[in-house]
Amino acid sequence: HIQVVAGAGTGKTSVLTQRIAWAVAHGIPPWRIMAVTFTNKAAREMRDRLVRSIGESRAGRVQMGTFHGLGMRILRRHHEVAGLSKTFAVIDKDEQKILMTRVAERFFGPDGSTAMAGRFHADNGSAKLAKWQQEQVREQRREERDKAELFANIIGRWKQDDLYPPEKVMPHLEKNKAFITPAEREALDAYVQYEAEKQKHGGLDFDDLILRVNHLFRLHPGVLDSERSRVRVLLCDEFQD
């Protein structure tokens, strides 16, 4: 194993592309090489350099992309084992906020913005709301968005700690039960509901593209062995990310 530690602009990406070119020149098939980085921009830069070095045909056969992009390819290859549709969608940040806000609204029960607007419409006997009613609904929606953001931050922290699926959170909380906050208790329920919402819509979020791969490998060692057999050389750019 070799680790290159150097400052920005000193040529670390060039080292990786030259290493790939060297490996291909020494008989390693391009499709047995995996090169992974953190951003799409860095992946494009690496591929462009590689095309100039070994040609478009061979560069195109290298397993190259971001952590999330390569995770998505692995999940598509093993979608049945992972319990996913082959055509699963990746939901973006805006869609993620919409789903989480929908979950957060449920915690307000009959005081949620949708129920509130429905009552106002029924009281008015009209589809039009008075200004004060509109403001009340808007204020309630702001509260729901704030709660959704809180849930997303807590769940995101759990996901960074590899606490997937949600059932893994409870033992973690039990170990630290003296420090559990009411928000965390609600967030656990929100986590379960959020995962159900994603499943209903047939989608994964960006965190899932790494988490679900880890989960797949743990549950199905044969899949891990299959993926390992595809790679002879593994190079990782921006490893600290």
Side-chain angles (χ1 to χ4, degrees), residues 19-231:
R19 178 72 173 177
I20 294 170
W22 179 90
V24 171
H26 285 74
I28 296 177
W31 58 89
R32 300 292 302 279
I33 300 170
M34 178 178 283
V36 57
T37 187
F38 193 69
T39 66
N40 288 317
K41 180 182 177 183
R44 285 193 297 271
E45 179 186 347
M46 196 186 303
R47 186 170 295 281
D48 289 345
R49 292 186 185 188
L50 197 57
V51 166
R52 292 194 294 271
S53 178
I54 64 175
E56 189 167 352
S57 177
R58 288 189 293 182
R61 304 182 78 179
V62 175
Q63 300 180 63
M64 184 181 298
T66 63
F67 291 95
H68 295 86
L70 291 169
M72 181 169 65
R73 292 181 210 171
I74 291 170
L75 290 173
R76 291 208 190 279
R77 276 197 291 271
H78 304 283
H79 65 96
E80 290 184 348
V81 181
L84 297 168
S85 163
K86 187 175 183 178
T87 57
F88 69 81
V90 179
I91 63 175
D92 62 24
K93 292 293 184 184
D94 289 336
E95 293 170 315
Q96 191 175 353
K97 285 180 182 177
I98 290 169
L99 290 183
M100 191 65 80
T101 302
R102 188 179 300 161
V103 168
E105 183 181 352
R106 295 173 189 153
F107 286 80
F108 292 90
D111 295 323
S113 58
T114 302
M116 180 186 293
R119 284 196 304 274
F120 287 152
H121 286 308
D123 291 344
N124 296 349
S126 160
K128 189 173 182 180
L129 300 184
K131 285 187 177 180
W132 68 269
Q133 292 172 327
Q134 293 175 17
E135 182 53 39
Q136 263 194 268
V137 172
R138 280 196 293 267
E139 179 59 32
Q140 179 58 32
R141 284 178 179 155
R142 280 193 287 270
E143 286 191 41
E144 290 162 3
R145 286 195 294 269
D146 288 345
K147 186 177 278 287
E149 184 176 356
L150 176 62
F151 286 161
N153 289 337
I154 295 173
I155 293 169
R157 190 173 70 241
W158 288 337
K159 286 187 169 186
Q160 287 176 3
D161 291 336
D162 200 26
L163 296 177
Y164 176 87
E167 290 75 21
K168 288 182 68 175
V169 175
M170 184 53 73
H172 170 76
L173 292 182
E174 284 298 316
K175 289 179 184 177
N176 304 281
K177 56 185 176 182
F179 304 100
I180 300 174
T181 66
E184 286 175 321
R185 293 188 185 280
E186 282 192 332
L188 177 54
D189 189 12
Y191 190 3
V192 173
Q193 294 187 47
Y194 174 64
E195 292 299 313
E197 284 287 333
K198 284 190 303 179
Q199 186 172 11
K200 185 167 70 177
H201 287 79
L204 301 180
D205 63 26
F206 285 106
D207 289 335
D208 292 330
L209 298 178
I210 293 176
L211 275 176
R212 292 291 292 264
V213 173
N214 289 339
H215 188 61
L216 177 65
F217 286 167
R218 279 198 301 268
L219 290 185
H220 303 280
V223 172
L224 175 58
D225 291 340
S226 171
E227 289 299 321
R228 278 177 171 159
S229 71
R230 296 169 61 91
V231 180

